[in-house]
Amino acid sequence: MAKIHIVLQGKGGVGKSFISAMIAQYKISKGQSPLCIDTDPVNSTFHGFKALNVRLLEIMEGDEIRSRKFDTLVELIAPSTNDVVIDNGASSFVPLTHYLISNQVPSLLQGMGHKMVVHTIITGSQALLDTVNGFAQLASQFPEQALFVVWLNPFWGPIEHEGKSFEQMKAYTANKARVSAIVKIPTLKEDTYGRDLSDMLQDRLTFDEALAMESLSIMTRQRLKIVKTQIFGQLDNAMVL
């Protein structure tokens, strides 16, 4: 049985490609060979990670997204014996979400022996309520065959509203049964950890690639190793992965 990990969030710039890359790298660190697919018709950031061998799925016809193009996605997933990691952009969020639900894809995949795992992101500051509402909508729309992993990304600010953490918010308490795991991306100091990780991602490098680069300083590699250990350690505890 393959697990189909799909990263969905309607808000742009919240770290979807970063999380897709983290999932893929984690799978590889466990000796797996995940099938990686990028369905973002605008940025295709995930596709830029050459070491992950990401396949870019063309879903545009002229200037429009054609939902029928997602049929190719299902054809790629169906025969896979390896886990799949799918990164989806904000511009294709609505078409893909509608396609998956209206075509009963989670149920279809379950019948094939696969399991769909929806990864969604909550971020702080001005995007907090948008991302929280996005999670609540996904949880209410997707059928029970789909599992959820919530990633908390504090890059833009603390993830709290009116003194409540995400785990205390109504959106979570009402959908808690749907959430298989919560992954907390560590808060990174901008001038050290944050800069090192940002540079690595901008160059579309994996942790392993960066850690092997002697051109990077010893402390840069040390900090990247610490971030990798912190994130992967949480994924070790997420049974759904």
Side-chain angles (χ1 to χ4, degrees):
M1 180 185 75
K3 290 180 180 177
I4 315 302
H5 299 275
I6 182 165
V7 182
L8 291 172
Q9 176 55 263
K11 189 72 175 177
V14 296
K16 290 185 289 294
S17 297
F18 165 68
I19 287 167
S20 299
M22 290 300 103
I23 299 168
Q25 290 178 70
Y26 177 75
K27 295 288 182 184
I28 292 170
S29 75
K30 297 301 180 182
Q32 301 180 35
S33 300
L35 170 62
C36 299
I37 304 171
D38 193 336
T39 63
D40 189 338
V42 178
N43 296 314
S44 305
T45 304
F46 190 33
H47 181 244
F49 287 84
K50 300 304 180 185
L52 301 179
N53 194 29
V54 181
R55 174 163 180 168
L56 180 62
L57 183 67
E58 298 290 348
I59 62 173
M60 300 290 289
E61 193 170 289
D63 295 329
E64 297 183 4
I65 295 174
R66 295 296 185 184
S67 294
R68 194 174 184 85
K69 297 279 189 177
F70 291 123
D71 286 357
T72 304
L73 181 63
V74 176
E75 295 295 332
L76 290 170
I77 293 171
S80 182
T81 55
N82 296 319
D83 283 5
V84 181
V85 181
I86 304 166
D87 181 27
N88 184 64
S91 62
S92 52
F93 169 76
V94 171
L96 179 56
T97 301
H98 181 266
Y99 175 90
L100 294 172
I101 295 170
S102 64
N103 287 279
Q104 300 180 13
V105 174
S107 177
L108 173 66
L109 294 176
Q110 185 178 59
M112 296 176 177
H114 300 322
K115 192 71 176 179
M116 177 177 284
V117 183
V118 176
H119 296 255
T120 194
I121 307 101
I122 307 297
T123 192
S125 192
Q126 295 180 345
L128 175 63
L129 294 182
D130 284 343
T131 53
V132 168
N133 290 335
F135 156 70
Q137 290 175 5
L138 288 171
S140 65
Q141 292 171 355
F142 271 86
E144 62 181 9
Q145 290 91 348
L147 304 176
F148 278 84
V149 174
V150 175
W151 292 68
L152 304 182
N153 184 3
F155 180 79
W156 298 111
I159 300 174
E160 58 180 35
H161 180 63
E162 296 180 344
K164 293 183 178 180
S165 67
F166 172 72
E167 292 93 329
Q168 296 171 320
M169 296 179 191
K170 183 178 180 180
Y172 174 69
T173 57
N175 297 288
K176 185 176 180 179
R178 302 296 310 276
V179 179
S180 298
I182 295 177
V183 180
K184 298 181 179 180
I185 298 172
T187 301
L188 305 174
K189 292 191 67 174
E190 186 175 349
D191 62 338
T192 52
Y193 287 90
R195 178 177 173 181
D196 295 332
L197 184 63
S198 178
D199 288 346
M200 185 187 82
L201 296 175
Q202 188 172 354
D203 291 336
R204 306 292 187 263
L205 296 173
T206 64
F207 278 116
D208 287 349
E209 287 178 305
L211 294 174
M213 294 177 64
E214 294 185 2
S215 60
L216 296 180
S217 72
I218 292 173
M219 289 312 301
T220 290
R221 285 179 283 166
Q222 169 69 356
R223 286 189 288 266
L224 290 175
K225 183 179 180 180
I226 290 171
V227 174
K228 175 185 177 182
T229 300
Q230 289 178 340
I231 295 176
F232 282 24
Q234 292 186 68
L235 299 184
D236 281 336
N237 295 323
M239 299 300 294
V240 69
L241 286 167

Short mmCIF file of all heavy atoms in Angstrom, two decimals, residues 165-219:
data_model
loop_
_atom_site.label_atom_id
_atom_site.label_comp_id
_atom_site.label_asym_id
_atom_site.label_seq_id
_atom_site.Cartn_x
_atom_site.Cartn_y
_atom_site.Cartn_z
N SER A 165 -3.59 28.95 21.45
CA SER A 165 -2.72 28.24 20.50
C SER A 165 -3.61 27.54 19.47
O SER A 165 -4.83 27.47 19.64
CB SER A 165 -1.87 27.21 21.24
OG SER A 165 -2.70 26.17 21.77
N PHE A 166 -3.00 27.01 18.43
CA PHE A 166 -3.79 26.32 17.41
C PHE A 166 -4.59 25.18 18.02
O PHE A 166 -5.77 24.98 17.69
CB PHE A 166 -2.88 25.79 16.31
CG PHE A 166 -3.60 24.90 15.33
CD1 PHE A 166 -4.49 25.43 14.41
CD2 PHE A 166 -3.40 23.52 15.34
CE1 PHE A 166 -5.18 24.61 13.52
CE2 PHE A 166 -4.08 22.69 14.45
CZ PHE A 166 -4.97 23.24 13.53
N GLU A 167 -3.97 24.44 18.92
CA GLU A 167 -4.64 23.28 19.52
C GLU A 167 -5.84 23.68 20.39
O GLU A 167 -6.68 22.84 20.71
CB GLU A 167 -3.65 22.46 20.36
CG GLU A 167 -2.57 21.76 19.53
CD GLU A 167 -1.30 22.60 19.39
OE1 GLU A 167 -1.41 23.85 19.38
OE2 GLU A 167 -0.21 22.01 19.30
N GLN A 168 -5.92 24.97 20.73
CA GLN A 168 -7.05 25.45 21.54
C GLN A 168 -8.13 26.11 20.70
O GLN A 168 -9.20 26.43 21.21
CB GLN A 168 -6.54 26.45 22.59
CG GLN A 168 -5.59 25.85 23.62
CD GLN A 168 -4.96 26.91 24.50
OE1 GLN A 168 -4.58 27.99 24.03
NE2 GLN A 168 -4.84 26.63 25.80
N MET A 169 -7.87 26.31 19.43
CA MET A 169 -8.83 26.97 18.55
C MET A 169 -9.96 26.02 18.17
O MET A 169 -9.77 24.81 18.06
CB MET A 169 -8.13 27.48 17.29
CG MET A 169 -7.09 28.56 17.55
SD MET A 169 -6.28 29.10 16.01
CE MET A 169 -4.94 30.07 16.69
N LYS A 170 -11.13 26.61 17.94
CA LYS A 170 -12.31 25.82 17.60
C LYS A 170 -12.10 25.00 16.33
O LYS A 170 -12.56 23.86 16.24
CB LYS A 170 -13.52 26.73 17.45
CG LYS A 170 -14.82 25.97 17.17
CD LYS A 170 -16.00 26.92 17.07
CE LYS A 170 -17.29 26.13 16.78
NZ LYS A 170 -18.47 27.04 16.67
N ALA A 171 -11.39 25.58 15.36
CA ALA A 171 -11.17 24.87 14.09
C ALA A 171 -10.47 23.54 14.33
O ALA A 171 -10.76 22.55 13.65
CB ALA A 171 -10.34 25.73 13.14
N TYR A 172 -9.56 23.53 15.31
CA TYR A 172 -8.86 22.27 15.61
C TYR A 172 -9.70 21.35 16.49
O TYR A 172 -9.84 20.16 16.19
CB TYR A 172 -7.53 22.54 16.29
CG TYR A 172 -6.86 21.26 16.76
CD1 TYR A 172 -6.34 20.35 15.83
CD2 TYR A 172 -6.76 20.95 18.11
CE1 TYR A 172 -5.75 19.16 16.25
CE2 TYR A 172 -6.17 19.77 18.53
CZ TYR A 172 -5.67 18.88 17.60
OH TYR A 172 -5.08 17.70 18.01
N THR A 173 -10.26 21.88 17.56
CA THR A 173 -11.02 21.02 18.48
C THR A 173 -12.21 20.35 17.79
O THR A 173 -12.55 19.22 18.11
CB THR A 173 -11.51 21.82 19.70
OG1 THR A 173 -12.32 22.93 19.25
CG2 THR A 173 -10.33 22.35 20.50
N ALA A 174 -12.79 21.06 16.81
CA ALA A 174 -13.94 20.49 16.10
C ALA A 174 -13.52 19.42 15.10
O ALA A 174 -14.33 18.58 14.69
CB ALA A 174 -14.70 21.60 15.37
N ASN A 175 -12.25 19.44 14.70
CA ASN A 175 -11.78 18.49 13.69
C ASN A 175 -10.62 17.64 14.19
O ASN A 175 -9.92 16.99 13.40
CB ASN A 175 -11.33 19.25 12.43
CG ASN A 175 -12.46 20.01 11.76
OD1 ASN A 175 -13.33 19.41 11.14
ND2 ASN A 175 -12.45 21.32 11.88
N LYS A 176 -10.44 17.61 15.48
CA LYS A 176 -9.30 16.91 16.08
C LYS A 176 -9.22 15.45 15.66
O LYS A 176 -8.13 14.91 15.45
CB LYS A 176 -9.40 17.01 17.61
CG LYS A 176 -8.22 16.42 18.36
CD LYS A 176 -8.36 16.64 19.85
CE LYS A 176 -7.18 16.04 20.61
NZ LYS A 176 -7.31 16.28 22.08
N ALA A 177 -10.36 14.82 15.52
CA ALA A 177 -10.39 13.40 15.17
C ALA A 177 -9.82 13.13 13.78
O ALA A 177 -9.40 12.00 13.49
CB ALA A 177 -11.82 12.86 15.26
N ARG A 178 -9.81 14.16 12.93
CA ARG A 178 -9.30 14.00 11.57
C ARG A 178 -7.78 14.14 11.48
O ARG A 178 -7.18 13.78 10.48
CB ARG A 178 -9.94 15.04 10.63
CG ARG A 178 -11.45 15.02 10.55
CD ARG A 178 -11.97 13.72 9.95
NE ARG A 178 -11.32 13.37 8.70
CZ ARG A 178 -11.69 13.87 7.49
NH1 ARG A 178 -12.68 14.75 7.42
NH2 ARG A 178 -11.08 13.47 6.40
N VAL A 179 -7.18 14.71 12.54
CA VAL A 179 -5.75 15.04 12.49
C VAL A 179 -4.92 13.89 13.06
O VAL A 179 -5.03 13.55 14.24
CB VAL A 179 -5.47 16.34 13.28
CG1 VAL A 179 -3.98 16.66 13.24
CG2 VAL A 179 -6.29 17.49 12.69
N SER A 180 -4.08 13.33 12.22
CA SER A 180 -3.23 12.22 12.63
C SER A 180 -1.94 12.68 13.30
O SER A 180 -1.34 11.95 14.09
CB SER A 180 -2.89 11.34 11.42
OG SER A 180 -4.06 10.78 10.85
N ALA A 181 -1.49 13.89 12.96
CA ALA A 181 -0.25 14.41 13.54
C ALA A 181 -0.18 15.92 13.35
O ALA A 181 -0.75 16.47 12.42
CB ALA A 181 0.96 13.74 12.88
N ILE A 182 0.52 16.56 14.28
CA ILE A 182 0.85 17.98 14.17
C ILE A 182 2.37 18.10 14.17
O ILE A 182 3.04 17.56 15.07
CB ILE A 182 0.25 18.80 15.32
CG1 ILE A 182 -1.28 18.79 15.25
CG2 ILE A 182 0.76 20.24 15.28
CD1 ILE A 182 -1.95 19.52 16.41
N VAL A 183 2.91 18.76 13.16
CA VAL A 183 4.35 18.95 13.05
C VAL A 183 4.65 20.43 13.26
O VAL A 183 4.09 21.28 12.56
CB VAL A 183 4.89 18.49 11.68
CG1 VAL A 183 6.41 18.70 11.61
CG2 VAL A 183 4.54 17.02 11.43
N LYS A 184 5.50 20.73 14.21
CA LYS A 184 5.83 22.13 14.52
C LYS A 184 7.20 22.46 13.96
O LYS A 184 8.22 21.96 14.45
CB LYS A 184 5.79 22.35 16.03
CG LYS A 184 4.40 22.09 16.63
CD LYS A 184 4.37 22.34 18.14
CE LYS A 184 2.97 22.08 18.70
NZ LYS A 184 2.90 22.30 20.17
N ILE A 185 7.22 23.31 12.94
CA ILE A 185 8.49 23.78 12.40
C ILE A 185 9.12 24.71 13.45
O ILE A 185 8.44 25.60 13.96
CB ILE A 185 8.27 24.53 11.07
CG1 ILE A 185 7.66 23.58 10.03
CG2 ILE A 185 9.59 25.11 10.55
CD1 ILE A 185 7.24 24.26 8.75
N PRO A 186 10.36 24.49 13.80
CA PRO A 186 10.96 25.31 14.86
C PRO A 186 11.06 26.78 14.47
O PRO A 186 11.23 27.11 13.29
CB PRO A 186 12.36 24.69 15.04
CG PRO A 186 12.62 23.94 13.77
CD PRO A 186 11.29 23.48 13.28
N THR A 187 10.94 27.64 15.47
CA THR A 187 11.16 29.07 15.26
C THR A 187 12.66 29.30 15.10
O THR A 187 13.45 28.92 15.97
CB THR A 187 10.63 29.89 16.45
OG1 THR A 187 9.23 29.62 16.62
CG2 THR A 187 10.83 31.37 16.22
N LEU A 188 13.06 29.89 13.99
CA LEU A 188 14.48 30.00 13.65
C LEU A 188 14.94 31.45 13.71
O LEU A 188 14.30 32.32 13.12
CB LEU A 188 14.72 29.42 12.25
CG LEU A 188 14.24 27.98 12.03
CD1 LEU A 188 14.41 27.59 10.58
CD2 LEU A 188 14.97 27.01 12.94
N LYS A 189 16.05 31.69 14.39
CA LYS A 189 16.60 33.05 14.45
C LYS A 189 16.99 33.50 13.05
O LYS A 189 17.69 32.78 12.31
CB LYS A 189 17.82 33.08 15.38
CG LYS A 189 17.48 32.87 16.85
CD LYS A 189 18.68 33.18 17.74
CE LYS A 189 19.02 34.65 17.71
NZ LYS A 189 20.10 35.00 18.67
N GLU A 190 16.53 34.67 12.69
CA GLU A 190 16.65 35.14 11.31
C GLU A 190 18.09 35.23 10.83
O GLU A 190 18.39 34.91 9.68
CB GLU A 190 15.97 36.50 11.17
CG GLU A 190 15.91 37.01 9.74
CD GLU A 190 15.13 38.29 9.62
OE1 GLU A 190 14.46 38.67 10.60
OE2 GLU A 190 15.19 38.93 8.55
N ASP A 191 19.02 35.66 11.71
CA ASP A 191 20.38 35.90 11.24
C ASP A 191 21.28 34.67 11.29
O ASP A 191 22.43 34.72 10.86
CB ASP A 191 21.03 37.04 12.04
CG ASP A 191 21.17 36.70 13.53
OD1 ASP A 191 20.41 35.83 14.00
OD2 ASP A 191 22.03 37.31 14.19
N THR A 192 20.78 33.56 11.82
CA THR A 192 21.58 32.33 11.87
C THR A 192 20.81 31.17 11.22
O THR A 192 20.92 30.95 10.01
CB THR A 192 21.97 31.99 13.33
OG1 THR A 192 20.77 31.97 14.14
CG2 THR A 192 22.96 32.99 13.87
N TYR A 193 20.03 30.46 12.01
CA TYR A 193 19.29 29.31 11.50
C TYR A 193 18.39 29.70 10.33
O TYR A 193 18.34 29.01 9.31
CB TYR A 193 18.43 28.70 12.61
CG TYR A 193 19.19 27.93 13.65
CD1 TYR A 193 19.67 28.57 14.80
CD2 TYR A 193 19.42 26.57 13.53
CE1 TYR A 193 20.35 27.86 15.78
CE2 TYR A 193 20.08 25.85 14.50
CZ TYR A 193 20.56 26.50 15.62
OH TYR A 193 21.25 25.79 16.59
N GLY A 194 17.65 30.78 10.50
CA GLY A 194 16.70 31.20 9.46
C GLY A 194 17.38 31.51 8.15
O GLY A 194 16.92 31.11 7.08
N ARG A 195 18.49 32.22 8.23
CA ARG A 195 19.22 32.57 7.00
C ARG A 195 19.81 31.34 6.34
O ARG A 195 19.74 31.20 5.11
CB ARG A 195 20.33 33.58 7.33
CG ARG A 195 21.16 33.95 6.10
CD ARG A 195 22.19 34.99 6.42
NE ARG A 195 23.08 35.22 5.28
CZ ARG A 195 24.09 36.08 5.29
NH1 ARG A 195 24.35 36.79 6.37
NH2 ARG A 195 24.85 36.22 4.23
N ASP A 196 20.37 30.44 7.13
CA ASP A 196 20.97 29.23 6.56
C ASP A 196 19.92 28.38 5.84
O ASP A 196 20.16 27.90 4.73
CB ASP A 196 21.64 28.40 7.66
CG ASP A 196 22.82 29.12 8.29
OD1 ASP A 196 23.44 29.95 7.59
OD2 ASP A 196 23.12 28.85 9.46
N LEU A 197 18.78 28.21 6.48
CA LEU A 197 17.72 27.41 5.86
C LEU A 197 17.18 28.10 4.61
O LEU A 197 16.94 27.46 3.58
CB LEU A 197 16.59 27.16 6.86
CG LEU A 197 15.46 26.24 6.36
CD1 LEU A 197 15.99 24.85 6.06
CD2 LEU A 197 14.34 26.17 7.39
N SER A 198 16.98 29.43 4.70
CA SER A 198 16.48 30.18 3.56
C SER A 198 17.42 30.08 2.36
O SER A 198 16.98 29.88 1.22
CB SER A 198 16.28 31.65 3.95
OG SER A 198 15.83 32.41 2.86
N ASP A 199 18.72 30.20 2.61
CA ASP A 199 19.70 30.09 1.52
C ASP A 199 19.67 28.70 0.89
O ASP A 199 19.75 28.56 -0.33
CB ASP A 199 21.11 30.40 2.05
CG ASP A 199 21.32 31.87 2.36
OD1 ASP A 199 20.48 32.69 1.95
OD2 ASP A 199 22.32 32.19 3.03
N MET A 200 19.55 27.69 1.73
CA MET A 200 19.50 26.32 1.24
C MET A 200 18.28 26.11 0.34
O MET A 200 18.38 25.52 -0.75
CB MET A 200 19.46 25.33 2.40
CG MET A 200 19.52 23.87 1.99
SD MET A 200 19.27 22.73 3.39
CE MET A 200 17.47 22.71 3.48
N LEU A 201 17.14 26.61 0.77
CA LEU A 201 15.91 26.43 0.00
C LEU A 201 15.93 27.26 -1.28
O LEU A 201 15.45 26.81 -2.32
CB LEU A 201 14.70 26.82 0.86
CG LEU A 201 14.46 25.96 2.10
CD1 LEU A 201 13.32 26.51 2.92
CD2 LEU A 201 14.19 24.51 1.70
N GLN A 202 16.51 28.45 -1.19
CA GLN A 202 16.59 29.29 -2.38
C GLN A 202 17.43 28.63 -3.47
O GLN A 202 17.14 28.78 -4.66
CB GLN A 202 17.18 30.66 -2.03
CG GLN A 202 17.13 31.66 -3.17
CD GLN A 202 17.53 33.06 -2.73
OE1 GLN A 202 17.74 33.32 -1.55
NE2 GLN A 202 17.63 33.97 -3.69
N ASP A 203 18.44 27.89 -3.05
CA ASP A 203 19.29 27.18 -4.01
C ASP A 203 18.72 25.82 -4.39
O ASP A 203 19.35 25.07 -5.14
CB ASP A 203 20.70 27.00 -3.42
CG ASP A 203 21.45 28.32 -3.29
OD1 ASP A 203 21.11 29.26 -4.03
OD2 ASP A 203 22.36 28.41 -2.45
N ARG A 204 17.54 25.50 -3.85
CA ARG A 204 16.86 24.23 -4.13
C ARG A 204 17.76 23.04 -3.78
O ARG A 204 17.87 22.06 -4.53
CB ARG A 204 16.43 24.14 -5.60
CG ARG A 204 15.59 25.31 -6.08
CD ARG A 204 14.21 25.36 -5.44
NE ARG A 204 13.39 26.39 -6.05
CZ ARG A 204 13.22 27.63 -5.56
NH1 ARG A 204 13.83 27.98 -4.44
NH2 ARG A 204 12.45 28.49 -6.17
N LEU A 205 18.37 23.12 -2.62
CA LEU A 205 19.24 22.06 -2.15
C LEU A 205 18.53 21.23 -1.09
O LEU A 205 17.73 21.76 -0.30
CB LEU A 205 20.53 22.62 -1.55
CG LEU A 205 21.46 23.39 -2.49
CD1 LEU A 205 22.60 24.01 -1.68
CD2 LEU A 205 22.01 22.47 -3.58
N THR A 206 18.82 19.95 -1.03
CA THR A 206 18.34 19.11 0.06
C THR A 206 19.30 19.26 1.24
O THR A 206 20.41 19.77 1.10
CB THR A 206 18.29 17.64 -0.36
OG1 THR A 206 19.62 17.18 -0.66
CG2 THR A 206 17.40 17.45 -1.60
N PHE A 207 18.89 18.78 2.39
CA PHE A 207 19.78 18.80 3.55
C PHE A 207 21.07 18.04 3.25
O PHE A 207 22.17 18.51 3.56
CB PHE A 207 19.09 18.18 4.77
CG PHE A 207 18.17 19.12 5.49
CD1 PHE A 207 16.80 18.86 5.56
CD2 PHE A 207 18.66 20.25 6.13
CE1 PHE A 207 15.95 19.72 6.25
CE2 PHE A 207 17.81 21.12 6.82
CZ PHE A 207 16.46 20.85 6.88
N ASP A 208 20.93 16.85 2.67
CA ASP A 208 22.12 16.04 2.40
C ASP A 208 23.09 16.75 1.46
O ASP A 208 24.31 16.68 1.65
CB ASP A 208 21.71 14.69 1.82
CG ASP A 208 21.10 13.77 2.87
OD1 ASP A 208 21.19 14.11 4.07
OD2 ASP A 208 20.53 12.72 2.49
N GLU A 209 22.55 17.42 0.45
CA GLU A 209 23.42 18.15 -0.48
C GLU A 209 24.15 19.27 0.25
O GLU A 209 25.36 19.45 0.09
CB GLU A 209 22.60 18.73 -1.63
CG GLU A 209 22.12 17.71 -2.65
CD GLU A 209 21.28 18.35 -3.74
OE1 GLU A 209 20.28 19.02 -3.39
OE2 GLU A 209 21.62 18.18 -4.92
N ALA A 210 23.42 20.03 1.05
CA ALA A 210 24.02 21.16 1.76
C ALA A 210 25.06 20.70 2.77
O ALA A 210 26.14 21.28 2.89
CB ALA A 210 22.94 21.98 2.45
N LEU A 211 24.74 19.63 3.49
CA LEU A 211 25.66 19.14 4.52
C LEU A 211 26.94 18.57 3.92
O LEU A 211 27.95 18.46 4.63
CB LEU A 211 24.96 18.08 5.38
CG LEU A 211 23.79 18.59 6.23
CD1 LEU A 211 23.09 17.45 6.94
CD2 LEU A 211 24.28 19.61 7.25
N ALA A 212 26.90 18.22 2.66
CA ALA A 212 28.09 17.67 1.99
C ALA A 212 28.94 18.75 1.33
O ALA A 212 30.02 18.45 0.80
CB ALA A 212 27.66 16.63 0.96
N MET A 213 28.49 20.00 1.38
CA MET A 213 29.20 21.08 0.70
C MET A 213 30.26 21.70 1.60
O MET A 213 29.94 22.37 2.60
CB MET A 213 28.20 22.16 0.23
CG MET A 213 27.24 21.69 -0.83
SD MET A 213 26.01 22.96 -1.28
CE MET A 213 27.09 24.21 -1.97
N GLU A 214 31.51 21.47 1.26
CA GLU A 214 32.60 22.05 2.04
C GLU A 214 32.69 23.56 1.86
O GLU A 214 33.36 24.24 2.65
CB GLU A 214 33.92 21.39 1.65
CG GLU A 214 33.99 19.91 2.03
CD GLU A 214 35.35 19.31 1.74
OE1 GLU A 214 36.25 20.05 1.29
OE2 GLU A 214 35.52 18.10 1.98
N SER A 215 32.02 24.08 0.85
CA SER A 215 32.02 25.54 0.64
C SER A 215 31.19 26.25 1.69
O SER A 215 31.34 27.47 1.89
CB SER A 215 31.49 25.87 -0.76
OG SER A 215 30.16 25.39 -0.93
N LEU A 216 30.31 25.52 2.38
CA LEU A 216 29.53 26.10 3.47
C LEU A 216 30.35 26.03 4.75
O LEU A 216 31.10 25.08 4.97
CB LEU A 216 28.21 25.35 3.65
CG LEU A 216 27.21 25.42 2.49
CD1 LEU A 216 25.95 24.63 2.83
CD2 LEU A 216 26.86 26.85 2.13
N SER A 217 30.18 27.03 5.59
CA SER A 217 30.95 27.06 6.83
C SER A 217 30.55 25.90 7.75
O SER A 217 29.47 25.32 7.62
CB SER A 217 30.73 28.39 7.56
OG SER A 217 29.44 28.44 8.13
N ILE A 218 31.43 25.59 8.67
CA ILE A 218 31.17 24.51 9.62
C ILE A 218 29.90 24.78 10.41
O ILE A 218 29.06 23.89 10.59
CB ILE A 218 32.36 24.34 10.58
CG1 ILE A 218 33.59 23.83 9.82
CG2 ILE A 218 32.01 23.39 11.73
CD1 ILE A 218 34.86 23.79 10.64
N MET A 219 29.72 26.03 10.86
CA MET A 219 28.55 26.33 11.69
C MET A 219 27.26 26.38 10.88
O MET A 219 26.19 26.06 11.40
CB MET A 219 28.77 27.65 12.44
CG MET A 219 29.80 27.55 13.56
SD MET A 219 29.55 26.12 14.65
CE MET A 219 27.89 26.43 15.27
#
